[in-house]
């Protein structure tokens, strides 16, 4: 390590780059982390000006310090605070679907429209990228390099839906990502609605450098799939809500993924080699493939909910909620609920947790495994198996009753090639299946003989609170209200059970709010949430968490027509196609201008924005603001203009009223 602003650390060598300052953090065991940082994040961390490079790099060095050394350490920290006075002021860049790409982009009033304005943007530490809540960006990838100490998030009314990045071409073979981030450090990604892409957040760490402190929180992911045209039943080439890749020489530390919600995704977060990965209070529903992968070290999955995860298509080698690779260090899965992990008919596995290869030192504690297709936990292994694993205080409720293969029951020990795992199975509760299975199962004789089995309860009569059922009380079908409050209610067949709920992605606990009998009112439209409910009784095991993903970002009454439109005219002048129309989509909060697709003889030739002022639309009460007209010319180039041609205007695949129109030798004619 070369000397920095404040001097080098004696005795340490590194080929990593570093420019900057020390940051000091104390932990409970008196180990202090000295970090040499270039432009560290926010808060009490100093920010210094970037010199000669867009890439701000971080180097972590651990040193055990005596109490006497703290005086010197905190003196260094004090000098770092002084450096903070020389920082470059942070800038926030704003994006709004009704913005102007020719504006400055540095205020709400001067927001940019197109997400490609981030290309080549020279971010300095603390800069933020903010998208307007309620805004929708269709088929635009947001690409950001070197977000350091700043936030990728939202601005505007916090009760409005999150800003939405939507990809609409899932059938192609092209892998389209919604958000791409290169080398984020001490950064926060929050309050985004991401849909339709191959990777929701595609995060890459490159270069010989260390990066830390990435926080991904309060985001909503849906319909994140591999392109339909690339499906292959043996490949597992899945889409992912969050994908993190580290190139050789780059290292990511201390990544936290918390309070996110995902539904209808191939996977939530595949395995990555992050050191210090916290997965906390996330809810996923209908996750198709291996939902989580744990392949690094010092990883902790906790307080999370898995709801009815089942493959949409066959994968020949089976799927699981959590697949654990060759890991070591301090790792755990604690306080989670796995509700009805399913499997494609005739597929193997379908277990909730799979020790696939050789984990060393792993704690699985205080989880509930409910009606999984395969085993609640499967201990597998290949050329070797897992060691020093602790499976304690878990509840297995009718787990593995359906799987006809060996990987069934509450815990299945597989022992391929004769390798036997070791560890402890202690204090677990197994409510067994009708045929008596559902406890622990050895696929081969004495497979689990090296696992100490202590104080476990196994039987069909284990008292467990029944799974709650959730329902809604929607407005009357005749309602014309554009904003409504819909109570969410729940029932439980267990007498005297207390129902508790969360809306932040976490598993309800006995300290969570009690669900009122009248339910909880949610305002529609609003941010999408996971509404999780769990039942408790003092003489029984708590229920599995029941949950529903409340997708309320778009709402319209049954009696309203969301899209008002009219295709008023089309003609050809020279080689230009002249169009006149208007369109207003009332289902989008704020009712921004709408992007239209122009089709000529059924082929798409252009996309245009209907943002021409039309005061008559407001007077006629069909639009709340005037910026919804279209009067434009589209070049036809070498396309034929003589003869009869069909012109159509569409929004989200729906034709405008009075569309299509026909043109004969350049002038309007009957179709």
């Amino acid at each position: 390590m070369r000397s920095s602003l404040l001097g080098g650390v004696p005795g340490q060598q590194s080929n990593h780059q570093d420019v900057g300052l020390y940051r000091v953090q104390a932990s409970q065991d008196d180990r202090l982390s000295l970090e040499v940082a270039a432009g560290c994040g926010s808060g009490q961390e100093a920010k210094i000006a970037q010199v000669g490079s867009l890439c701000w790099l971080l180097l972590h060095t651990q040193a055990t310090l005596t109490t006497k050394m703290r005086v010197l350490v905190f003196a260094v920290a004090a000098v770092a605070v002084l450096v903070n006075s020389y920082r470059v002021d942070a800038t926030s860049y704003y994006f709004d679907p009704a913005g102007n790409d020719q504006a400055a982009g540095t205020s709400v009033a001067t927001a940019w429209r197109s997400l490609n304005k981030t290309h080549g943007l020279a971010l300095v530490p603390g800069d933020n990228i903010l998208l307007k809540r309620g805004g929708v960006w269709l088929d635009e990838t947001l690409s950001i390099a070197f977000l350091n100490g700043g936030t990728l998030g939202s601005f505007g009314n916090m009760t409005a839906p999150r800003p939405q990045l939507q990809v609409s071409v899932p059938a192609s073979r092209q892998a389209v990502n919604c958000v791409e981030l290169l080398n984020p450090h001490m950064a926060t990604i929050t309050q985004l609605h991401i849909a339709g892409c191959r990777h929701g957040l595609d995060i890459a760490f490159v270069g010989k450098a260390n990066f830390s402190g990435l926080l991904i929180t309060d985001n909503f992911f849906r319909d994140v799939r591999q392109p339909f045209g690339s499906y292959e039943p043996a490949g597992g080439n899945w889409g992912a809500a969050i994908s993190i890749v580290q190139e050789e020489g780059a290292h990511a530390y201390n990544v936290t993924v918390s309070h996110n919600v995902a539904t209808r995704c191939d996977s939530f977060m595949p395995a990555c080699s992050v050191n210090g990965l916290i997965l906390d209070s996330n809810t996923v529903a209908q996750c198709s493939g291996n939902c989580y992968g744990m392949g690094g070290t010092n990883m902790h999955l906790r307080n999370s909910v898995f709801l009815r995860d089942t493959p949409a298509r066959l994968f020949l080698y089976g799927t699981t909620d959590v697949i654990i690779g060759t890991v070591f260090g301090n790792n755990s899965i604690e306080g989670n609920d796995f509700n009805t992990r399913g499997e494609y008919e005739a597929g193997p596995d379908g277990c909730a947790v799979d020790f696939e290869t050789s984990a060393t030192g792993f704690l699985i504690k205080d989880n509930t495994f409910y009606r999984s297709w395969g085993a609640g936990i499967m201990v597998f292994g290949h050329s070797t198996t897992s060691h020093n694993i602790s499976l304690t205080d878990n509840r297995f409720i009718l787990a593995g009753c359906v799987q006809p293969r060996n990987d069934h029951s509450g815990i299945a020990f597989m022992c391929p090639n004769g390798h036997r795992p070791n560890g402890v199975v202690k204090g677990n509760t197994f409510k067994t299946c009708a045929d008596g299975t559902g406890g622990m199962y050895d696929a081969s004789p004495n497979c689990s003989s090296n696992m100490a089995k202590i104080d476990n309860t196994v039987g069909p009569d284990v008292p467990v609170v029944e799974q709650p059922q959730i329902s809604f009380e929607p407005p009357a079908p005749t309602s014309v209200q554009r904003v409504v409050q819909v109570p969410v209610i729940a029932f439980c067949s267990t007498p005297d059970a207390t129902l508790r709920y969360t809306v932040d992605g976490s598993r309800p606990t006995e300290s969570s709010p009690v669900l009122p009998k009248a339910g909880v009112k949610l305002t529609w439209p609003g941010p999408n949430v996971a509404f999780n409910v769990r039942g408790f009784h003092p003489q029984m095991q708590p229920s599995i968490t029941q949950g529903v993903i409340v997708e309320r970002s778009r709402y319209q009454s049954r009696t309203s027509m969301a899209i008002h439109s009219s295709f008023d005219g089309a003609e050809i002048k020279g080689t230009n196609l002249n169009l006149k129309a208007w369109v207003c989509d009332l289902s989008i909060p704020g009712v921004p201008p709408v992007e239209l697709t122009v089709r000529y003889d059924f082929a798409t030739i252009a996309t245009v924005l209907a943002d021409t002022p039309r005061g008559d639309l407001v007077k006629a009460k069909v639009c709340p603001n005037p910026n919804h007209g279209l009067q434009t010319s589209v070049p036809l180039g070498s396309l034929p203009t003589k003869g009869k041609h069909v012109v159509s205007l569409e929004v989200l695949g729906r034709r405008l009223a009075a569309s299509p129109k026909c043109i004969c030798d350049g002038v309007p004619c009957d179709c």
Side-chain angles (χ1 to χ4, degrees):
M1 179 189 300
R2 65 175 176 80
S3 296
S4 70
L5 261 172
L6 305 177
V9 176
Q12 299 291 332
Q13 300 292 326
S14 174
N15 62 351
H16 290 67
Q17 290 181 266
D18 64 276
V19 290
L21 51 103
Y22 291 104
R23 185 177 66 178
V24 184
Q25 294 178 318
S27 61
Q28 293 180 349
D29 62 359
D30 283 343
R31 288 178 64 87
L32 299 180
S33 172
L34 297 181
E35 297 181 350
V36 178
C40 284
S42 57
Q44 295 182 358
E45 299 167 2
K47 303 171 186 174
I48 63 172
Q50 174 183 7
V51 180
S53 174
L54 286 176
C55 191
W56 292 75
L57 304 174
L58 175 70
L59 178 62
H60 289 250
T61 302
Q62 291 284 348
T64 301
L65 304 179
T66 65
T67 302
K68 293 181 180 180
M69 293 176 67
R70 292 179 181 173
V71 175
L72 176 59
V73 168
F74 286 109
V76 170
V79 175
V81 173
L82 293 178
V83 176
N84 193 37
S85 64
Y86 296 99
R87 69 181 182 272
V88 173
D89 289 336
T91 300
S92 291
Y93 297 94
Y94 296 85
F95 291 81
D96 184 332
N100 182 357
D101 288 344
Q102 306 306 313
T106 54
S107 69
V108 172
T110 63
W112 289 325
R113 177 185 177 273
S114 303
L115 300 183
N116 62 17
K117 294 292 289 185
T118 61
H119 296 179
L121 192 62
L123 298 178
V124 300
D127 282 358
N128 304 306
I129 305 293
L130 304 177
L131 282 62
K132 186 175 181 179
R133 294 187 75 93
V136 178
W137 285 265
L138 185 64
D139 294 328
E140 293 186 66
T141 297
L142 176 59
S143 302
I144 304 172
F146 318 126
L147 183 66
N148 185 338
T151 295
L152 166 58
S154 68
F155 73 92
N157 183 354
M158 292 299 292
T159 64
R162 298 175 183 89
Q164 179 177 332
L165 292 86
Q166 168 78 54
V167 170
S168 63
V169 286
S172 72
R173 285 184 173 271
Q174 181 181 3
V176 180
N177 302 321
C178 284
V179 179
E180 297 175 338
L181 293 145
L182 176 67
N183 291 358
H185 170 64
M186 301 302 296
T188 299
I189 294 94
T190 186
Q191 299 172 7
L192 302 179
H193 177 157
I194 291 173
C197 34
R198 163 71 187 286
H199 288 162
L201 298 177
D202 185 86
I203 302 169
F205 295 101
V206 302
K208 293 183 176 180
N210 295 342
F211 305 88
S212 72
L214 177 62
L215 173 63
I216 302 171
T217 186
D218 191 23
N219 300 287
F220 180 79
F221 303 89
R222 66 169 175 83
D223 304 303
V224 176
R225 306 286 195 188
Q226 69 183 103
F228 296 156
S230 65
Y231 165 67
E232 203 286 306
N237 185 27
W238 295 314
I242 302 169
S243 172
I244 297 180
V245 176
Q246 300 173 77
E247 299 295 339
E248 184 177 358
H251 301 283
Y253 298 86
N254 303 329
V255 173
T256 299
V257 180
S258 67
H259 300 288
N260 301 282
V261 176
T263 186
R264 301 185 301 274
C265 298
D266 285 346
S267 64
F268 181 70
M269 187 173 180
C272 59
S273 55
V274 170
N275 184 343
L277 175 63
I278 303 297
L279 302 161
D280 190 354
S281 301
N282 303 290
T283 291
V284 296
Q286 302 180 60
C287 190
S288 291
N290 294 337
C291 197
Y292 282 69
M294 302 184 77
T297 186
N298 300 319
M299 302 169 296
H300 302 279
L301 168 59
R302 58 198 184 206
N303 308 322
S304 295
V305 178
F306 297 77
L307 297 170
R308 299 172 291 277
D309 297 333
T310 303
R313 292 173 289 187
L314 174 65
F315 176 57
L316 287 176
Y317 301 100
T319 60
T320 181
D321 273 331
V322 182
I323 187 166
I324 302 169
T326 302
V327 301
F328 57 91
N330 175 22
N331 305 287
S332 68
I333 298 176
E334 296 185 77
N336 307 283
D337 274 11
F338 298 85
N339 189 336
T340 324
R341 173 71 214 195
E343 186 54 74
Y344 194 91
E345 295 290 340
D349 294 354
C351 51
V353 174
D354 177 7
F355 283 94
E356 181 67 15
T357 53
S358 56
T360 300
F362 208 109
L363 172 66
I364 298 185
K365 182 178 181 179
D366 185 30
N367 304 281
T368 300
F369 301 90
Y370 179 81
R371 292 184 179 272
S372 53
W373 169 274
I377 299 174
M378 181 173 68
V379 184
F380 197 72
H382 289 276
S383 59
T384 181
T385 190
S386 296
H387 300 282
N388 190 28
I389 58 176
S390 178
L391 314 178
T392 63
D393 300 325
N394 301 288
R395 293 162 293 277
F396 299 85
I397 311 302
L398 304 175
C401 298
V402 183
Q403 174 60 270
R405 300 161 62 104
N406 283 334
D407 43 341
H408 62 73
S409 295
I411 304 175
F413 298 96
M414 305 304 291
C415 298
N417 303 314
H419 299 290
R420 298 177 183 176
N422 62 64
V424 63
V425 182
K426 181 179 179 180
N428 300 282
T429 299
F430 299 84
K431 185 177 179 67
T432 54
C433 312
D435 62 358
T437 62
M440 288 174 273
Y441 174 77
D442 283 8
S444 60
N446 301 314
C447 180
S448 65
S449 59
N450 293 334
M451 298 290 299
K453 302 180 180 70
I454 305 169
D455 296 332
N456 299 291
T457 300
V458 182
D461 300 321
V462 173
V464 180
V465 176
E466 286 293 328
Q467 175 179 236
Q469 299 301 317
I470 298 174
S471 188
F472 298 87
E473 293 186 344
T478 55
S479 171
V480 296
Q481 298 298 315
R482 294 181 180 176
V483 178
V484 296
Q485 286 192 327
V486 179
V488 185
I489 56 179
F491 311 90
C492 183
S493 61
T494 300
D496 301 321
T498 299
L499 300 184
R500 298 181 180 272
Y501 75 99
T502 62
V503 291
D504 65 350
S506 65
R507 179 179 80 158
T509 67
E510 289 187 285
S511 61
S512 299
V514 174
L515 180 67
K517 289 185 178 180
V520 174
K521 292 182 178 180
L522 296 180
T523 301
W524 300 47
N528 296 342
V529 297
F531 196 95
N532 292 326
V533 179
R534 193 174 176 216
F536 297 88
H537 192 286
Q539 279 81 50
M540 307 177 76
Q541 295 285 343
S543 77
I544 188 69
T545 296
Q546 171 69 289
V548 61
I549 309 302
V550 184
E551 298 184 66
R552 56 181 179 143
S553 61
R554 300 187 69 175
Y555 172 79
Q556 65 184 84
S557 65
R558 290 168 61 92
T559 57
S560 69
M561 180 178 176
I563 298 180
H564 298 282
S565 66
S566 177
F567 187 3
D568 295 334
E571 63 178 1
I572 297 175
K573 292 291 186 181
T575 59
N576 290 325
L577 174 63
N578 296 334
L579 302 169
K580 186 176 181 180
W582 62 268
V583 59
C584 183
D585 188 348
L586 300 177
S587 68
I588 303 177
V591 195
V594 174
E595 191 170 67
L596 298 175
T597 298
V598 182
R599 301 184 70 191
Y600 188 77
D601 290 339
F602 305 104
T604 298
I605 62 171
T607 56
V608 293
L609 186 67
D611 61 353
T612 302
R614 287 275 303 266
D616 58 318
L617 301 178
V618 178
K619 291 180 180 179
K621 298 182 179 181
V622 294
C623 294
N625 61 71
N627 300 319
H628 296 283
L630 176 72
Q631 190 161 353
T632 189
S633 294
V634 176
L636 292 175
S638 59
L639 292 175
T641 58
K642 298 296 183 180
K644 190 172 186 176
H645 302 280
V646 180
V647 181
S648 177
L649 292 179
E650 299 178 0
V651 55
L652 297 177
R654 296 171 55 183
R655 290 195 297 268
L656 269 59
S659 178
K661 291 190 178 299
C662 289
I663 300 176
C664 299
D665 294 325
V667 298
C669 62
D670 292 334
C671 289

